[in-house]
Amino acid sequence: MKATLHRREVVKALLKNRKNLLVVAGLGSTSWDITAAGDSSLSFPSWGAMGQAAMTGLGLALAQPQRRVLVITGDGEMLMGMGALATIGVQQPPNLVVVVIDNERYGETGMQATHTAYGVDLAAVARACKFKEAKEIRTADEVERLCERVHSASGPLFADVKVIDEKLTLVLPPNDGVLLKERFRRALLGPSADVLPEER
């Protein structure tokens, strides 16, 4: 079945009523997608850390168990970091959701086909790694249900959202890694972000 969903529309829907949701985006297109939906200090775009989005999200989910954490990444990035799915499955963070925006292409290097274009099933991998729920999503109705579950369902949850392989205008977040880290810490921790560990 050919993909019909548009990536920016999917991400915009996921972030529409985000409230205090912590969002980690994989490098490249998903970082542009979350920025196009509205830049936020509670978003952490990955400029160059390919394969690290899911593990960054896991660390946040374990460190902030009272907060909901959403990882939005691409199929190429997730394929590079598939070991993260096994670690997440073992840790079982109930507050973590991993969403893969899957256009079956390496968007940052020339739109070459990824392994998902040849039948690799990321949702099946996540199920095998003990995610409580892992689905492939292809319709707007399924996206709507996913948006609800991001905020309420007990995880870890995984969704592989099949989207059109379109090239879009870049909407770039700040490209200063220190700035991104510090604004995220302050938004997450408030005044305590500026207190040294030995002073806490």
Side-chain angles (χ1 to χ4, degrees), residues 9 15 34 39 47 51 60-61 92 134 148 196:
E9 292 176 5
L15 300 182
I34 68 165
D39 191 27
W47 268 95
L60 270 174
Q92 288 289 298
E148 295 170 1
L196 296 174

Side-chain angles (χ1 to χ4, degrees), residues 5 9 16 21 26 28 40 45-46 66 69-70 76 79 85 89 102 109 123 128 148 152 160 167 169 182 191 194 200:
L5 295 171
E9 292 176 5
K16 184 177 180 181
L21 185 67
S40 168
S46 304
Q66 76 284 6
V69 180
L70 172 63
L79 285 162
L85 298 179
D102 185 357
T109 59
E148 295 170 1
S152 60
D160 183 37
K167 287 293 280 183
T169 302
E182 290 304 319
D194 296 319
R200 290 180 184 151

Side-chain angles (χ1 to χ4, degrees), residues 62-165:
L62 294 177
Q64 298 289 325
Q66 76 284 6
R67 303 290 291 271
R68 300 289 294 187
V69 180
L70 172 63
V71 173
I72 301 176
T73 192
D75 48 305
E77 206 265 1
M78 192 72 258
L79 285 162
M80 179 171 275
M82 275 206 293
L85 298 179
T87 304
I88 291 168
V90 169
Q91 292 293 319
Q92 288 289 298
N95 55 330
L96 179 62
V97 180
V98 177
V99 174
V100 175
I101 304 297
D102 185 357
N103 64 354
E104 302 182 349
R105 296 289 182 271
Y106 289 107
E108 307 316 304
T109 59
M111 300 298 279
Q112 303 92 339
T114 69
H115 296 325
T116 63
Y118 299 100
V120 171
D121 186 338
L122 291 174
V125 173
R127 282 193 295 274
C129 290
K130 299 173 54 178
F131 274 66
K132 286 192 176 174
E133 183 179 302
K135 294 182 177 181
E136 183 179 282
I137 289 177
R138 290 182 174 271
T139 70
D141 287 344
E142 290 172 324
V143 171
E144 187 175 342
R145 288 193 290 273
L146 172 62
C147 292
E148 295 170 1
R149 296 188 70 69
V150 163
H151 294 281
S152 60
S154 180
L157 307 180
F158 182 94
D160 183 37
V161 183
K162 293 290 188 176
V163 298
I164 297 168
D165 60 342

Side-chain angles (χ1 to χ4, degrees), residues 19-41:
K19 300 174 184 174
N20 291 319
L21 185 67
L22 306 179
V23 178
V24 176
L27 90 166
S29 296
T30 50
S31 284
W32 322 153
D33 294 339
I34 68 165
T35 306
D39 191 27
S40 168
S41 56

